[in-house]
């Protein structure tokens, strides 16, 4: 029967996740204020990156909270059930999954790279990596035609991966050729419109673009920021490509995995991706470094070979595809 003590554990985990959500909401409010006040391009790009990451974590935590709510209901039903039979509580342990040496090859046209012709198209890119409720982001990298690969030096470790984990890798891109000053962008647009539409029409358009009483930048940030992403002036990152990795992709060497590309050449954030991502993916079950269970080991002697022993395979490692012989001696 499922132990009712699991309910208290779930309640504590529920509280911890709620604290994480509250923390990310505060971080998101700070990112919104910083983005609205930024006057430098790099500052605005970093603030927009933080805003996207905070929203991704909030969504992941909310999904995890919903899953735990459902688990609490199932636990209570199992505890109240009088005809619930005994259940085998042995399950594969979790483990660590590490991804490093992320590299995404680019495929520039000959006229762009070798002959150095055309506009110098520059984009700010970063990777968002999610495994369950854990989300990490890489450093931001500026990319133009002088680079043949997008390289991220970060080594990211997920500490609570199950054998059936799915690691989603997302590549975000933002065109960096515009002025992202929150105050200057609408005014510059109004100036261009006033010169092209005429003085009277331009004044009306300028008045419409100026921050007003209902503008999100003029309310002092007093209103609560709710999902979806608040409408804040500044750069916007777009999903350019993504892939999902699992246990079958774990290898000892550097490998290439296929990317699903979502953008096209008409997009301002477009980059000529080769269609693959290279990385190192490693996994280590917790039972390789921690004691997961203990007890007596029964040794059976085979009839045909009296001098050999039957090996015991750890149930925690079998799901990871790693087998460990606990007894390997002969009589």
């Amino acid at each position: 029967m499922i132990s009712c003590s699991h309910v208290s554990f779930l309640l504590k985990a529920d509280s911890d996740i709620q604290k994480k959500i509250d923390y990310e909401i505060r971080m998101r409010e700070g990112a919104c204020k910083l983005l609205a006040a930024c006057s430098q391009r790099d500052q605005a790009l970093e603030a927009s990156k933080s805003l996207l990451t905070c929203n991704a974590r909030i969504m992941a935590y909310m999904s995890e909270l919903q899953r735990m709510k459902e688990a609490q209901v199932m636990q209570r039903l199992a505890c109240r059930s009088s005809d619930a039979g005994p259940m085998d509580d042995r399950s594969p342990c979790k483990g660590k999954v590490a991804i490093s040496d992320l590299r995404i090859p680019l495929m520039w046209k000959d006229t762009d790279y070798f002959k150095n012709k055309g506009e110098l198209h520059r984009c700010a890119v970063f990777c968002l990596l999610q495994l369950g409720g854990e989300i990490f982001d890489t450093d931001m990298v500026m990319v133009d035609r002088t680079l043949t690969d997008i390289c991220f030096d970060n080594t990211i470790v997920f500490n609570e991966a199950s054998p059936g984990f799915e690691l989603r890798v997302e590549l975000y891109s933002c065109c960096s050729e515009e002025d992202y000053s929150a105050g200057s962008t609408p005014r510059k647009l109004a100036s261009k419109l006033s010169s092209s539409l005429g003085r009277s029409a331009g004044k009306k358009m300028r008045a419409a673009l100026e921050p007003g009483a209902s503008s999100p930048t003029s309310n002092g940030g007093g209103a609560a920021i709710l999902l979806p992403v608040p409408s804040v002036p500044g750069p916007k990152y777009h999903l350019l490509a993504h892939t999902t990795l699992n246990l079958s992709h774990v290898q000892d060497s550097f490998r290439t995995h296929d990317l699903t590309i979502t953008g096209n050449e008409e997009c301002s954030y477009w980059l000529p991706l080769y269609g693959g991502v290279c990385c190192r993916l490693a996994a280590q079950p917790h039972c390789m470094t921690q004691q997961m269970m203990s007890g007596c080991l029964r040794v059976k002697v085979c009839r045909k070979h009296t001098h050999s022993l039957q090996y015991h395979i750890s149930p925690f490692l079998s799901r990871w595809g790693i087998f460990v012989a606990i007894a390997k001696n002969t009589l």
Side-chain angles (χ1 to χ4, degrees):
M1 181 181 296
I2 299 177
S3 173
C4 295
S5 61
H6 292 321
V7 176
S8 60
F9 171 77
L10 290 174
L11 289 173
K12 182 181 182 301
D14 186 348
S15 176
D16 293 340
I17 293 178
Q18 187 61 54
K19 291 179 181 178
K20 290 181 180 179
I21 293 176
D22 295 339
Y23 173 79
E24 292 299 330
I25 289 177
R26 292 194 299 270
M27 292 294 292
R28 185 176 65 177
E29 291 175 351
C32 288
K33 294 178 181 178
L34 179 61
L35 185 58
C38 282
S39 59
Q40 300 296 323
R41 181 194 62 185
D42 293 343
Q43 293 177 345
L45 289 170
E46 287 288 355
S48 180
K49 172 176 171 285
S50 299
L51 181 60
L52 190 150
T53 305
C54 289
N55 276 284
R57 285 175 177 155
I58 290 173
M59 294 300 295
Y61 291 152
M62 290 178 67
S63 299
E64 185 72 10
L65 192 61
Q66 179 64 27
R67 187 192 66 81
M68 296 192 68
K69 295 285 187 182
E70 295 173 357
Q72 290 177 21
V73 174
M74 297 301 296
Q75 291 278 5
R76 292 191 181 99
L77 291 177
C79 289
R80 294 172 183 174
S81 178
S82 58
D83 57 348
M87 297 182 62
D88 189 357
D89 59 353
R90 293 179 300 173
S91 60
C93 68
K94 294 186 177 182
K96 294 182 179 181
V97 172
I99 183 170
S100 61
D101 299 327
L102 273 167
R103 181 169 61 85
I104 301 175
L106 297 172
M107 186 173 55
W108 297 101
K109 296 179 181 179
D110 293 345
T111 54
D112 292 336
Y113 183 72
F114 294 103
K115 297 182 180 180
N116 200 26
K117 293 182 179 180
E119 296 181 359
L120 187 61
H121 182 65
R122 299 191 67 189
C123 288
V125 300
F126 74 97
C127 278
L128 197 69
L129 302 102
Q130 177 176 1
L131 194 158
E134 293 183 281
I135 294 181
F136 296 96
D137 58 333
T138 64
D139 296 331
M140 184 184 69
V141 177
M142 301 302 297
V143 179
D144 55 31
R145 65 187 177 207
T146 62
L147 298 180
T148 58
D149 300 272
I150 306 174
C151 299
F152 300 99
D153 298 329
N154 308 79
T155 298
I156 297 175
V157 180
F158 298 91
N159 294 307
E160 295 297 327
S162 62
F165 73 87
E166 290 187 348
L167 171 56
R168 182 174 173 86
V169 181
E170 297 178 337
L171 177 66
Y172 285 89
S173 176
C174 175
C175 180
S176 64
E177 297 170 358
E178 300 177 2
D179 184 6
Y180 298 121
S181 175
S184 63
T185 301
R187 292 188 179 90
K188 287 184 177 180
L189 178 59
S191 299
K192 291 181 180 180
L193 289 173
S194 62
S195 60
S196 60
L197 297 177
R199 181 173 299 178
S200 59
K203 287 183 179 180
K204 294 179 180 179
M205 185 62 67
R206 185 190 298 272
L209 289 174
E210 287 294 331
S214 60
S215 173
T217 58
S218 63
N219 60 7
I225 302 176
L226 304 175
L227 292 173
V229 184
S231 178
V232 181
K236 297 293 187 296
Y237 283 94
H238 302 271
L239 179 63
L240 181 59
H242 64 87
T243 188
T244 301
L245 307 176
N246 53 43
L247 188 59
S248 64
H249 296 105
V250 175
Q251 296 289 337
D252 294 334
S253 59
F254 192 74
R255 289 193 60 188
T256 301
H257 310 280
D258 293 334
L259 272 178
T260 300
I261 301 175
T262 58
N264 55 61
E265 293 185 6
E266 302 299 325
C267 302
S268 62
Y269 57 89
W270 167 256
L271 286 171
L273 303 182
Y274 207 84
V277 54
C278 308
C279 65
R280 296 180 185 272
L281 188 66
Q284 182 186 67
H286 288 329
C287 55
M288 295 184 68
T289 57
Q290 305 173 17
Q291 177 178 298
M292 306 305 300
M293 64 182 298
S294 61
C296 298
L297 176 66
R298 294 182 180 180
V299 180
K300 294 183 180 180
V301 179
C302 299
R303 295 181 179 179
K304 294 183 180 180
H305 306 283
T306 57
H307 294 289
S308 48
L309 300 178
Q310 182 177 359
Y311 298 150
H312 175 77
I313 305 301
S314 172
F316 299 103
L317 288 175
S318 59
R319 286 285 296 276
W320 288 92
I322 303 171
F323 299 91
V324 176
I326 297 180
K328 199 175 181 180
N329 297 322
T330 55
L331 296 176

